[in-house]
Amino acid sequence: MDENIRDEAWWRRQAAAQGEWWRKRAATHQEETLRQNNLMYGGLIAIGVVLVQPFLTPGTAPLDLSAQICVTAFSLAIPLLSALIVLNRHETYRRRSTSSVFVLAAQQAALGLGYVGVVAGFWHIMTIAGIAILVGTVLGVAVHSAGYVQVEEEDAQATPGAEQPPQAP
């Protein structure tokens, strides 16, 4: 009988340790997501400013289609990205992310428009450069995904504080 009570106590400790580990992991995951989003948003704003700058000077030749797409995409993306950076600061302050569908749609739209602007800008410079950005992005997403999955799997296996279950005599 005492053995069953001891086993039950062990399982309760394990469940409590696992629950605490998952709570901490979820909180740090949310903070890291906000940091990574800010990095992407800021990077796209900087790239957009650099790519659009030559088109802002007076006396330039009329823009071809890829340059028009670049300028239009970034004219929409930059204000959205800026608003998302400010929102991320508020989310970081409150230590939680918004669940607004409108914000989630704006995030996807801003990232998509930024990506379209980058591709169009490089395409305007040189067609092969636009194709290279497309291929590089697919490879970059694949590398990030593979690395992310591997790190998360290794982290999940390295659960701290795990004890061995009690052995029956």
Side-chain angles (χ1 to χ4, degrees):
M1 186 70 162
D2 289 336
E3 188 175 307
N4 288 340
I5 293 172
R6 189 177 64 224
D7 287 351
E8 184 178 334
W10 180 86
W11 285 109
R12 286 180 193 266
R13 284 193 313 273
Q14 285 298 103
Q18 284 273 328
E20 183 62 26
W21 181 79
W22 279 107
R23 276 189 291 282
K24 288 180 182 175
R25 186 169 189 225
T28 57
H29 179 73
Q30 191 173 39
E31 290 173 14
E32 182 60 21
T33 299
L34 291 172
R35 281 192 291 271
Q36 289 179 9
N37 283 345
N38 273 343
L39 180 64
M40 288 187 295
Y41 301 156
L44 280 173
I45 289 170
I47 291 168
V49 168
V50 169
L51 284 177
V52 171
Q53 186 180 10
F55 305 129
L56 299 176
T57 57
T60 58
L63 302 179
D64 66 356
L65 181 61
S66 60
Q68 289 176 0
I69 292 171
C70 175
V71 170
T72 304
F74 277 119
S75 70
L76 291 168
I78 289 173
L80 279 174
L81 293 165
S82 300
L84 289 169
I85 286 175
V86 173
L87 175 62
N88 272 4
R89 292 296 302 156
H90 186 70
E91 290 172 321
T92 301
Y93 173 70
R94 291 292 179 199
R95 294 185 178 171
R96 61 180 172 176
S97 295
T98 182
S99 58
S100 167
V101 175
F102 181 68
V103 172
L104 295 174
Q107 288 172 331
Q108 298 309 309
L111 291 173
L113 287 165
Y115 177 65
V116 166
V118 169
V119 171
F122 277 90
W123 198 286
H124 173 73
I125 296 167
M126 201 167 50
T127 303
I128 192 69
I131 294 168
I133 283 288
L134 288 169
V135 171
T137 301
V138 170
L139 292 174
V141 168
V143 166
H144 177 267
S145 297
Y148 179 86
V149 167
Q150 185 67 33
V151 167
E152 290 297 314
E153 285 176 356
E154 289 171 358
D155 190 51
Q157 291 173 0
T159 303
E163 303 174 29
Q164 292 299 320
Q167 300 296 322

